[in-house]
Amino acid sequence: RPAPEWSIGTSFSHGSYLLDDVAGNADQTTYGLDAAFQHHHWQLWGEVMYSSFEVPNVGDAECVFYYLEAKYKITPQLFAALRWNQSFFGEVPDGQGGSAEWDRDAWRADLSLGWRISRHVQAKIQYSIGDKAGDDPEGDQLLATQLTVRF
């Protein structure tokens, strides 16, 4: 913590993501960096992650993703938040001497309004819009509600 308003962290993970008897040695390695800042009514935070998968009979499949989020406390019980997410996927050999992306790059933006009803109950409504590279039959918009109860 370089200052009381700041929080900075790192993460690392390495291990097999498939059973050894299924695919041999198929490891995943992930590195991450996160930071948060809080001042008066504002909270800002974000994270960036890099992950590499050893894919049997293919090679390494890599991806990078990040998000940035801002939250503003309108009152002690009411808040608004905005989040931006992006994912980027590397290329893997296509088996014909070339290469191909192993998944489609994507982005999403979320806008939410939340109400802390009590210490233990919170309600939130969120609108999301996003897109992926290439054809996207799943749709690009989502409206969701959430009720969280802590005990």
Side-chain angles (χ1 to χ4, degrees), residues 88-116:
F88 304 96
F89 296 89
E91 295 186 344
V92 294
D94 66 4
Q96 301 171 2
S99 62
E101 290 184 353
W102 68 278
D103 204 345
R104 300 181 296 155
D105 294 350
W107 65 266
R108 188 178 82 202
D110 306 310
L111 178 62
S112 64
L113 185 62
W115 176 32
R116 188 169 308 278

Side-chain angles (χ1 to χ4, degrees), residues 28-149:
Q28 175 186 1
T29 303
T30 302
Y31 302 92
L33 176 65
D34 61 270
F37 177 79
Q38 184 172 344
H39 187 70
H40 297 293
H41 295 278
W42 285 99
Q43 290 178 314
L44 308 169
W45 60 96
E47 183 174 24
V48 62
M49 301 288 282
Y50 163 84
S51 199
S52 177
F53 299 83
E54 295 175 359
V55 182
N57 304 318
V58 174
D60 289 346
E62 301 174 325
C63 61
V64 174
F65 58 93
Y66 74 92
Y67 73 87
L68 301 169
E69 187 164 347
K71 178 179 173 182
Y72 183 76
K73 294 180 184 177
I74 301 165
T75 71
Q77 290 81 29
L78 192 64
F79 67 87
L82 177 65
R83 180 179 175 123
W84 176 261
N85 309 270
Q86 248 181 314
S87 303
F88 304 96
F89 296 89
E91 295 186 344
V92 294
D94 66 4
Q96 301 171 2
S99 62
E101 290 184 353
W102 68 278
D103 204 345
R104 300 181 296 155
D105 294 350
W107 65 266
R108 188 178 82 202
D110 306 310
L111 178 62
S112 64
L113 185 62
W115 176 32
R116 188 169 308 278
I117 299 165
S118 73
R119 251 182 93 201
H120 301 285
V121 180
Q122 175 177 291
K124 183 171 78 170
I125 186 166
Q126 177 175 308
Y127 171 73
S128 301
I129 185 167
D131 198 14
K132 295 179 187 174
D135 292 333
D136 189 8
E138 297 172 354
D140 299 330
Q141 299 181 57
L142 173 70
L143 182 63
T145 59
Q146 179 183 43
L147 181 65
T148 307
V149 179

